[in-house]
Amino acid sequence: MTELLKSHDVNATGHRCHHDYQINCGNCRLNSICLPIALDLHEVEQLEEIIQRSRPLQKGEHLYRQDQPFGSVFAVRSGSVKAYAITDNGQEQVTGFYFPGEVLGMDGIAKNKYASSARAMETAAVCEIPFDKLGELSQRLPSLQRHFFQLMSQEIAEDQQLLTLLSKNTADQRVATLMLSISARNKRRKLSAANFRLPMSRTDIGNYLGLTVETVSRVLSRFQKLGVLSVDNKEINIIDAELLRSVADGSEPT
Amino acid sequence: MTELLKSHDVNATGHRCHHDYQINCGNCRLNSICLPIALDLHEVEQLEEIIQRSRPLQKGEHLYRQDQPFGSVFAVRSGSVKAYAITDNGQEQVTGFYFPGEVLGMDGIAKNKYASSARAMETAAVCEIPFDKLGELSQRLPSLQRHFFQLMSQEIAEDQQLLTLLSKNTADQRVATLMLSISARNKRRKLSAANFRLPMSRTDIGNYLGLTVETVSRVLSRFQKLGVLSVDNKEINIIDAELLRSVADGSEPT
DNA sequence: CGCCTGGTTGAGAATCATCAACATCTGTGG
DNA sequence: CCACAGATGTTGATGATTCTCAACCAGGCG
């Protein structure tokens, strides 16, 4: 319990230093994630010029809304964002969680309007990248064009993995996989892979994974009972990562 | 029964005329689907030059295989193709069905190797588009670049719709939605929206929709009993499209 | 302090998976 | 052209996982 509070402090500190308005792509700690390409200094400067950094968004504020005219894609700089779509028959589907360094909004390009809405799950800062300018710039910078093709391709590949998760895996496997995913993304940002705070509600987790709140809650409780991880509200502490992995890939019959 | 045979002939005829080797993008009946952009004549010619058209593939032949080095994206010219991925723990997941005019293989761009395999579900012809050349050409033709961004964005948006389907909808809704999707894609190709032959097996349908073969079979039988559609092996005849839609969106409690 | 949202836990119900038998279709070789 | 074998599809009976409904608990905020 007291252990968990410590890890929470670490995260909170991480936040504060990210809310730095002076940041640019060149010095951004996230650029190896957000722009994992060999853009040279001059090229980064050109990209720099089209990117807009606004004030941090408050929890609940929207980056964009479904059916609004598409204009920009967004890179998360700090905090976290969820994307969700409302279907014709009015049900909400969470389509993704986005952490610092990750890019969202690309589903709007096809129809020139956003296919989903995006809102901050906590205080968050984002870089807004106007897509028309990005297109122009990509005409001149082949590596930038290639990078964006890759980003979109990655989103496709990840969605397809998620399809498999929803289509073939049990509640245990889905929850375990999400925990591992968040852990891995934390690690990539040089944060703890074992301790983290979930920014989203149980309802959002369930919605994303195609499960009810109750099932998510039960699964997490069971994981705790089994000693796989500890749960204290939104604080997660992965105790036995190996076991969690074996649950996720189904080799561990829970 | 005899009625159905007739519709089958129509499809078969459609096939034959598509297996035309002389075809090019300019005269391709599918170009409004495959390239729904304002490429001018000269631009189409340039695209033309990089596209490769090989002999038709036999049923079961692969366009590409998972983990192979990524090289090209493919447009289906005739027949149909399924994409599927094998997960770490060895289970197969069908990630998509592709019909004439549709483009696949874009999941390979991110990691420079294909994230899935693709095989012909029946005799099929495809256009192979080497991606490095496409990238170069996109540098010079802004509308082509834009088109490919749109294509990939569309794939993302469609995958996310599929996520919703798997995550929130019943077996009935999933099957109904797939039938409507195939119907709509048929219609787009100026073929019958009501009568068509499913190129894929029940197993593939179930795999794609996250259901077992038995469930797919039962659902189709029930639909037939309810007078929504008629099923004769792979021949589908949509009898009450309105009812089918209401089943798909959940407003019809079957 | 108490309300309200969000989370947990329990009991019963429903959907879909599993297992099993049977039917039908396809294509191959006699 | 027919017969047979293997693959594919259908149908039924049973069972497991997850959902639904309901009660309860905890924490945050006016």
Side-chain angles (χ1 to χ4, degrees):
Chain A
M1 197 80 137
T2 44
E3 286 294 311
L4 289 166
L5 285 175
K6 199 157 45 170
S7 78
H8 177 251
D9 285 343
V10 169
N11 269 343
T13 309
H15 275 177
R16 227 176 300 127
C17 73
H18 264 194
H19 285 157
D20 175 2
Y21 283 88
Q22 307 307 321
I23 210 161
N24 61 49
C25 292
N27 69 22
C28 180
R29 287 206 311 133
L30 296 164
N31 68 11
S32 66
I33 303 174
C34 178
L35 298 169
I37 38 163
L39 280 190
D40 67 31
L41 201 59
H42 179 61
E43 290 171 337
V44 168
E45 276 169 19
Q46 296 180 61
L47 179 61
E48 191 67 40
E49 273 174 29
I50 69 170
I51 290 183
Q52 297 165 12
R53 296 186 186 76
S54 54
R55 60 166 179 70
L57 293 107
Q58 294 305 309
K59 175 174 177 172
E61 275 188 86
H62 277 81
L63 281 76
Y64 52 83
R65 285 172 193 274
Q66 192 168 350
D67 295 330
Q68 269 184 350
F70 170 75
S72 302
V73 298
F74 296 84
V76 179
R77 203 135 51 82
S78 70
S80 53
V81 170
K82 81 163 176 177
Y84 64 98
I86 309 289
T87 61
D88 325 307
N89 47 58
Q91 49 192 357
E92 174 174 333
Q93 167 72 36
V94 173
T95 54
F97 301 119
Y98 296 86
F99 292 101
E102 297 172 355
V103 177
L104 69 159
M106 297 174 293
D107 59 6
I109 299 170
K111 299 215 163 120
N112 217 36
K113 64 182 184 191
Y114 291 102
S116 56
S117 301
R119 70 149 48 124
M121 293 191 290
E122 58 193 321
T123 306
V126 299
C127 298
E128 177 171 357
I129 310 168
F131 189 72
D132 52 355
K133 292 188 181 147
L134 180 68
E136 286 169 29
L137 193 54
S138 294
Q139 295 292 322
R140 287 185 283 118
L141 306 180
S143 55
L144 182 62
Q145 177 188 269
R146 177 156 188 85
H147 175 55
F148 256 83
F149 278 135
Q150 285 179 339
L151 262 186
M152 297 184 74
S153 170
Q154 190 187 338
E155 180 99 25
I156 292 170
E158 284 171 2
D159 283 350
Q160 289 179 354
Q161 276 188 273
L162 189 54
L163 282 181
T164 309
L165 192 68
L166 294 187
S167 144
K168 302 267 184 299
N169 294 2
T170 64
D172 283 356
Q173 292 179 297
R174 297 185 208 183
V175 175
T177 302
L178 178 61
M179 294 301 123
L180 287 171
S181 166
I182 293 176
S183 166
R185 288 145 92 184
N186 247 31
K187 189 176 178 185
R188 199 168 67 143
R189 286 155 50 206
K190 317 289 186 201
L191 299 177
S192 169
N195 302 298
F196 47 87
R197 181 184 171 80
L198 299 174
M200 71 291 279
S201 67
R202 299 287 192 272
T203 306
D204 283 341
I205 294 177
N207 190 310
Y208 179 67
L209 295 175
L211 301 169
T212 57
V213 201
E214 294 95 324
T215 301
V216 173
S217 184
R218 277 186 252 271
V219 170
L220 286 176
S221 297
R222 185 142 26 83
F223 283 177
Q224 179 157 243
K225 205 161 289 172
L226 291 168
V228 180
L229 45 74
S230 76
V231 187
D232 178 27
N233 206 350
K234 307 212 165 190
E235 285 307 322
I236 299 289
N237 188 356
I238 297 179
I239 294 166
D240 190 339
E242 205 43 63
L243 186 51
L244 186 57
R245 264 186 287 275
S246 63
V247 171
D249 70 19
S251 55
E252 189 66 26
T254 48
Chain B
M1 196 84 133
T2 43
E3 286 295 311
L4 290 166
L5 286 174
K6 198 157 47 167
S7 78
H8 177 252
D9 286 343
V10 170
N11 269 343
T13 310
H15 276 179
R16 228 177 298 125
C17 72
H18 265 195
H19 286 158
D20 176 1
Y21 283 89
Q22 307 307 322
I23 209 159
N24 61 50
C25 293
N27 69 23
C28 181
R29 285 204 316 131
L30 297 164
N31 66 13
S32 66
I33 304 175
C34 179
L35 298 168
I37 38 166
L39 279 190
D40 66 33
L41 201 59
H42 179 61
E43 291 171 336
V44 169
E45 275 169 20
Q46 295 181 61
L47 179 61
E48 192 67 41
E49 273 174 29
I50 69 171
I51 291 183
Q52 297 165 13
R53 295 187 186 76
S54 53
R55 58 166 180 72
L57 293 108
Q58 293 304 308
K59 176 175 177 170
E61 275 188 88
H62 277 81
L63 281 75
Y64 53 82
R65 285 171 193 275
Q66 194 168 353
D67 294 330
Q68 270 185 351
F70 169 76
S72 301
V73 298
F74 296 83
V76 179
R77 201 135 52 81
S78 69
S80 53
V81 171
K82 81 163 177 178
Y84 64 99
I86 309 289
T87 61
D88 324 307
N89 46 57
Q91 48 192 357
E92 176 175 331
Q93 167 72 36
V94 173
T95 53
F97 302 118
Y98 296 86
F99 293 101
E102 298 172 353
V103 177
L104 69 160
M106 296 174 293
D107 60 5
I109 299 169
K111 298 213 161 123
N112 217 36
K113 65 183 184 190
Y114 291 102
S116 55
S117 301
R119 70 150 44 125
M121 294 191 290
E122 58 192 320
T123 306
V126 298
C127 297
E128 177 172 355
I129 310 167
F131 188 71
D132 51 356
K133 291 186 183 152
L134 181 67
E136 286 169 29
L137 193 54
S138 294
Q139 295 292 321
R140 287 185 284 116
L141 306 180
S143 54
L144 183 62
Q145 177 188 270
R146 175 155 189 85
H147 175 55
F148 256 83
F149 279 136
Q150 285 179 339
L151 262 186
M152 297 183 73
S153 170
Q154 191 188 340
E155 180 98 29
I156 292 170
E158 284 171 1
D159 283 349
Q160 289 178 354
Q161 277 187 275
L162 189 53
L163 283 180
T164 307
L165 192 68
L166 295 187
S167 144
K168 303 266 182 302
N169 294 1
T170 64
D172 283 356
Q173 293 178 298
R174 297 185 209 183
V175 175
T177 302
L178 178 61
M179 293 304 121
L180 287 172
S181 166
I182 294 176
S183 167
R185 287 143 94 184
N186 246 33
K187 189 176 179 187
R188 201 168 63 144
R189 288 154 49 206
K190 317 287 184 203
L191 299 177
S192 168
N195 301 298
F196 48 87
R197 181 183 171 80
L198 300 174
M200 72 291 281
S201 66
R202 298 287 192 271
T203 307
D204 282 341
I205 293 177
N207 191 310
Y208 178 68
L209 295 176
L211 302 169
T212 57
V213 200
E214 294 95 325
T215 300
V216 173
S217 184
R218 275 187 253 270
V219 170
L220 285 176
S221 297
R222 186 141 27 83
F223 283 176
Q224 179 158 243
K225 205 161 290 172
L226 290 169
V228 179
L229 43 74
S230 77
V231 186
D232 177 28
N233 205 351
K234 308 214 165 192
E235 288 302 327
I236 299 289
N237 188 356
I238 296 179
I239 295 167
D240 189 340
E242 206 42 62
L243 186 52
L244 186 57
R245 264 187 285 275
S246 63
V247 171
D249 70 19
S251 55
E252 189 64 26
T254 48

